[in-house]
Amino acid sequence: AYGKKQGREFWKASLQAIDLLEEIVRSESIDCDWRRSGHICLAYKPSHFEGMRKSVQWFREELGHEVQALSPAELPSEIGSRVFHGGILDEYSGGLQPAKYVYGLARAVARRGVRLHEQIIISRVARLRDGFEIHTNQGVLRAGEVLIATNGYTDALVPPLERRIFPVGSYIIVTEPLARELQVELIPKGRMLYDSKNFLNYFRLTPDGRMLWGGRNDLSTNLDLNRSAEILRAQLVRTFPRLRDASLTHSWTGKLGITFDLMPHIGRVEGIHYAMGYGGHGLAVATYLGTEVGKLLAGQIATSPFAEIPHPTRFFYRGYPWFIPLAARYYRFADWMS
């Protein structure tokens, strides 16, 4: 889409994002169970694995990045399940506990004098000659600059932004803590795992020994969490029959921010800065773009590759993503056909 030179810049940024996250965790002593254990994309169908095998050389030659194809015969050393047809291993990535990471970030910036205000409703941002006036339910603020970083929760506060991003729901369940022997049987090396479907599932063992299982369900953001748990549990048991009798303890959801080009973006509309559009990769990429936009605001850098690409919208989108059910049907059909 952007040519080799800029494409490689984006790829390099995706790796730097993981390194930056690790640097912050270590330098700020954030206790968030960070572990760089790598991930595997699992082939949901044999045809998917054929594509993975071909991509190994492409990653090496075009990006200088080493990944490893795992044949079906090699998978038992990585996952105690028979439903997959190979995979591709990337040792670069890792996992953490997101809530602990967020609280660690909050403590880190608070130590530097940043004031954090929760549960504030902003009704209007008015542009002045020398900055902005921000109207809230607890008073009016003045600011020299404003940054919107609401991703999948972006609303009509700044109307042009609402049309550049739309929300998609992602849903998760976790089991009760599992016996150590069972953990080793299911995911012996503690990798992060996801499959190759469009309607993908992603899963891992948590630091306290639970199986975490997530997925997109029907892309909506308002599926009942009991119904979601039923759907996800069926997927979990199909993959790991040994967990048929494991109890679920939690079911939750959150909104991903999706752009029409599936790219993250830094930009400015009506004088207001924004960073958003992580498409499910927000832990690392949002950390990276937050740092980039901070450097831009501080004058430490003049531009970012994420600010140089156009941020498209569509004429048929006015803030209500009516097309989500249609997209869900399309992707289910694509998964069936692949």
Side-chain angles (χ1 to χ4, degrees), residues 19-273:
D19 294 336
L20 173 64
L21 189 152
E22 181 174 65
E23 177 189 334
I24 292 171
V25 167
R26 290 182 173 175
S27 64
E28 300 297 334
S29 300
I30 298 176
D31 178 15
C32 61
D33 305 312
W34 167 249
R35 182 179 173 221
R36 205 147 184 177
S37 51
H39 75 262
I40 301 174
C41 177
L42 297 158
Y44 191 72
K45 293 185 177 182
S47 60
H48 297 184
F49 180 59
E50 289 305 309
M52 291 176 180
R53 290 177 59 185
K54 294 174 184 175
S55 70
V56 171
Q57 185 176 356
W58 184 89
F59 270 98
R60 182 182 300 117
E61 293 178 353
E62 295 294 334
L63 301 173
H65 187 72
E66 293 293 332
V67 295
Q68 177 187 349
L70 300 173
S71 69
E74 294 172 303
L75 272 191
S77 66
E78 297 285 357
I79 180 172
S81 174
R82 298 181 179 181
V83 305
F84 301 108
H85 304 272
I88 191 163
L89 166 65
D90 191 332
E91 299 271 10
Y92 205 88
S93 61
L96 53 71
Q97 212 282 15
K100 289 183 177 181
Y101 176 58
V102 169
Y103 285 119
L105 288 177
R107 285 190 289 267
V109 299
R111 286 195 299 269
R112 288 162 170 79
V114 174
R115 295 171 63 187
L116 302 171
H117 297 275
E118 299 179 280
Q119 307 299 327
I120 303 297
I121 300 171
I122 300 175
S123 58
R124 186 164 69 95
V125 178
R127 190 167 188 179
L128 307 176
R129 292 181 64 180
D130 59 346
F132 296 88
E133 200 171 63
I134 303 164
H135 295 254
T136 83
N137 62 327
Q138 295 191 24
V140 179
L141 300 172
R142 294 289 295 272
E145 300 283 4
V146 173
L147 168 66
I148 303 290
T150 44
N151 204 44
Y153 297 84
T154 302
D155 59 17
L157 179 67
V158 182
L161 280 184
E162 187 182 34
R163 294 195 58 222
R164 299 186 186 199
I165 190 167
F166 59 91
V168 162
S170 201
Y171 297 80
I172 295 178
I173 54 174
V174 289
T175 68
E176 62 188 342
L178 306 175
R180 180 60 187 164
E181 315 85 70
L182 183 55
Q183 295 176 45
V184 172
E185 177 186 331
L186 299 181
I187 307 180
K189 297 178 183 177
R191 310 277 196 199
M192 312 297 113
L193 301 164
Y194 65 95
D195 64 38
S196 56
K197 302 191 305 294
N198 289 295
F199 265 83
L200 84 167
N201 290 112
Y202 51 91
F203 49 102
R204 62 169 293 188
L205 289 169
T206 64
D208 60 348
R210 304 167 187 268
M211 180 64 75
L212 178 152
W213 184 272
R216 298 289 182 263
N217 284 330
D218 61 354
L219 299 184
S220 72
T221 60
N222 56 4
L223 184 64
D224 175 78
L225 289 181
N226 290 308
R227 175 57 182 151
S228 166
E230 292 174 3
I231 295 170
L232 294 176
R233 182 185 180 85
Q235 298 165 352
L236 169 66
V237 171
R238 177 181 178 277
T239 303
F240 295 114
R242 287 288 307 277
L243 297 181
R244 185 176 305 278
D245 297 325
S247 298
L248 301 184
T249 60
H250 299 78
S251 173
W252 72 94
T253 184
K255 296 179 184 180
L256 308 180
I258 309 293
T259 57
F260 286 100
D261 60 358
L262 303 180
M263 286 291 288
H265 289 273
I266 292 172
R268 197 172 189 181
V269 296
E270 300 178 354
I272 297 170
H273 300 271

Side-chain angles (χ1 to χ4, degrees), residues 2-17:
Y2 305 108
K4 285 189 176 183
K5 183 176 182 295
Q6 198 169 31
R8 285 172 179 150
E9 284 187 29
F10 289 126
W11 172 256
K12 184 179 178 182
S14 75
L15 300 184
Q16 290 174 337

